[in-house]
Amino acid sequence: MNISISNLDEGYNQISDFNSYVTSEGVSLFQALEANIASLRNNWIGSDATVQINNLIKVHDALVALVTDAKRVTAFAGERIIAMQNVRRANGSAGSVGSELDGSEPSHETITAVPDTVQFDVKPGASSDLADLTTICQKFNVFTSQFTEKKNVLFSNWTEGANIETAKSSFQQFENNAATYNSYLTQAKENLGVAVSNIQKLG
């Protein structure tokens, strides 16, 4: 399956940059969420906590799916570009030949939903969980903004072929839901903030 790209070498650089970005920033974001969710399960217990943590799991799973898709489609597109660069070189033309991109599924945890509970407990560790979740909220906003920017640059050059429809569909789905994911993160942070504040008043 060929690829239609306006500028071959620039296209490789854009696809490589996109692949690197989602691999580094996307993975570090969902890993931070994994750690935060694991800690919250111990430190924040209650009916509201259950709802909020389960929403965080949805954000985590969406990020894992996005990074997995993005790595796979960019690695495949990169493969098509490298094939064309090799043909160009064989024909005696100048120009670089890119390196194969990493299309493997990122290492991640499968997180089970928190079951309903009638218990209520906010442990001291919840205050550091709140600080971590606040950082995650900020990083999520930066990631979604950069993701959209890099995606638009990529598709301005890569116009057809190499499963572009799959890539566009996957990326669009994430962008369509980004506001919902952002609200899940914000609500969890705000509700946790109230819970921590109330417990500190008791102390």
Side-chain angles (χ1 to χ4, degrees):
M1 184 186 285
N2 283 330
I3 187 167
S4 293
I5 201 143
S6 308
N7 182 317
L8 200 58
D9 294 337
E10 189 181 4
Y12 175 81
N13 291 337
Q14 289 162 345
I15 284 173
S16 175
D17 175 59
F18 191 86
N19 178 283
S20 298
Y21 183 74
V22 294
T23 300
S24 61
E25 298 306 311
V27 170
S28 109
L29 189 53
F30 74 62
Q31 284 177 343
L33 256 175
E34 282 174 1
N36 192 240
I37 290 164
S39 189
L40 284 170
R41 291 176 90 114
N42 292 320
N43 293 331
W44 189 25
I45 298 158
S47 55
D48 179 56
T50 297
V51 171
Q52 302 304 330
I53 295 168
N54 284 340
N55 281 341
L56 293 180
I57 294 170
K58 290 175 189 170
V59 180
H60 167 269
D61 292 351
L63 282 166
V64 170
L66 175 74
V67 173
T68 302
D69 283 351
K71 286 184 73 179
R72 188 172 60 241
V73 297
T74 51
F76 182 68
E79 204 179 279
R80 298 293 82 215
I81 290 176
I82 292 165
M84 290 168 73
Q85 288 175 328
N86 278 320
V87 168
R88 179 181 62 187
R89 177 170 285 183
N91 290 340
S93 299
S96 59
V97 175
S99 305
E100 190 179 331
L101 301 177
D102 178 12
S104 63
E105 183 174 340
S107 175
H108 61 89
E109 290 177 23
T110 301
I111 308 175
T112 54
V114 179
D116 290 332
T117 181
V118 291
Q119 289 180 283
F120 177 80
D121 192 13
V122 182
K123 294 176 182 165
S127 58
S128 66
D129 293 338
L130 176 59
D132 292 341
L133 186 53
T134 302
T135 302
I136 289 166
C137 287
Q138 293 162 347
K139 286 188 171 174
F140 180 82
N141 284 328
V142 171
F143 176 78
T144 51
S145 165
Q146 288 281 305
F147 178 85
T148 299
E149 204 174 289
K150 289 177 183 295
K151 178 213 70 170
N152 291 340
V153 168
L154 183 63
F155 290 145
S156 68
N157 193 9
W158 173 20
T159 53
E160 277 185 285
N163 283 341
I164 192 171
E165 292 80 12
T166 305
K168 284 186 170 179
S169 168
S170 169
F171 301 167
Q172 193 60 51
Q173 185 181 358
F174 178 79
E175 289 185 318
N176 290 346
N177 294 319
T180 302
Y181 301 144
N182 185 46
S183 73
Y184 285 161
L185 288 163
T186 305
Q187 283 166 18
K189 179 188 73 174
E190 288 172 355
N191 289 31
L192 178 59
V194 170
V196 167
S197 170
N198 288 340
I199 288 297
Q200 284 170 344
K201 283 174 192 166
L202 290 176

